[in-house]
Amino acid sequence: GFNVRYNHSEKFGLGGGTNYSYRFYQTDRNSRGDQPNFDFSTLPLSARAFYIYSEKLDFFTDYTFSRTTADSGNKDELTSSRSHSISVGADGEFSSKLSGTASVGYSLLDFDYDGTPNQHNLITNLSLKWKYNSKTSSDVSLSRATSPSATGQSTISTSLRSGLNHRFTDTWSGSAYITTGLTDYTTITDGSYSMSNHGLGINLSKKISQVLSASGGYDLTYSSSRGDSFVRHVLHGQVTGRF
């Protein structure tokens, strides 16, 4: 994917972007019945207009059209759809200590299959960072979004995340977070149900040199839905080079 921005004047700017994704499934049937799990692709196209309030703060309005296409020869599959969303918000530094993005909007999800009703939803995106001092900061994010799924379900996902970041030395830093979320599923074949998610994680980073850095951490997630639940443990590490 990519994004572009052009400042037309000192107070007005235009932007746009896209990103392409393709989701593959290991099995063609879900675990609760015979509804197919279709592989599908998603291509969103967005356009944005900016009002440049100051050098550090923008107000914007954004329109995004997204096309989801299932990889199947069945014209009655329940995944292929189009979505339209429009939102308004602000991005940048709100004060010397507070920065981030805040937006609110409306989304329409229109399925190709006539038997699946359209979904109208309020969407939000809040991502803020509070800087306590030169070494410590915290962040909070809140999002609400809608999307189709491989089994013809429309999903509305709401998530809340809070984290703490600290730089121990010039080369060592760390972070920790907690998160919670709820995903509502609606389908014409299986009614409506919800899945809850709760998690926490820690991460450590080391600056090895001017161009190399390394990081690693642990994430724990607990999910439950309709009497079923599972726990996921993830250990991760990476080395990054910047040249």
Side-chain angles (χ1 to χ4, degrees), residues 105-126:
Y106 165 82
S107 174
L108 166 64
L109 185 58
D110 180 14
F111 288 89
D112 291 3
Y113 181 62
D114 293 336
T116 305
N118 295 343
Q119 296 290 321
H120 307 261
N121 293 289
L122 177 71
I123 56 175
T124 59
N125 179 31
L126 178 68

Side-chain angles (χ1 to χ4, degrees), residues 96-101 126-141 161-167 174-178:
S96 60
K97 292 184 177 294
L98 182 64
S99 62
T101 300
L126 178 68
S127 179
L128 300 176
K129 181 178 181 179
W130 182 268
K131 185 177 180 181
Y132 298 100
N133 51 52
S134 60
K135 292 185 176 182
T136 307
S137 65
S138 63
D139 58 78
V140 62
S141 61
R161 182 187 186 278
S162 180
L164 182 65
N165 314 285
H166 184 73
R167 179 166 56 86
S175 62
Y177 73 88
I178 56 173

Side-chain angles (χ1 to χ4, degrees), residues 7-95:
N7 287 342
H8 178 70
S9 66
E10 292 184 357
K11 288 296 182 181
F12 183 70
L14 296 172
T18 186
N19 59 82
Y20 175 82
S21 66
Y22 195 97
R23 182 172 294 186
F24 298 89
Y25 282 84
Q26 294 177 307
T27 60
D28 62 357
R29 301 288 176 182
N30 66 39
S31 62
R32 304 194 69 91
D34 60 358
Q35 175 64 46
N37 279 326
F38 292 119
D39 299 343
F40 66 91
S41 62
T42 302
L43 179 66
L45 301 170
S46 64
R48 180 173 289 196
F50 299 90
Y51 171 70
I52 305 172
Y53 180 78
S54 68
E55 293 182 353
K56 297 181 178 180
L57 181 63
D58 296 331
F59 294 97
F60 64 84
T61 180
D62 179 279
Y63 167 76
T64 299
F65 169 80
S66 183
R67 175 61 172 162
T68 297
T69 305
D71 187 7
S72 77
N74 183 1
K75 67 178 182 179
D76 292 332
E77 49 81 15
L78 308 177
T79 298
S80 297
S81 59
R82 298 168 298 275
S83 70
H84 306 266
S85 63
I86 186 168
S87 59
V88 294
D91 177 71
E93 296 184 14
F94 302 101
S95 70

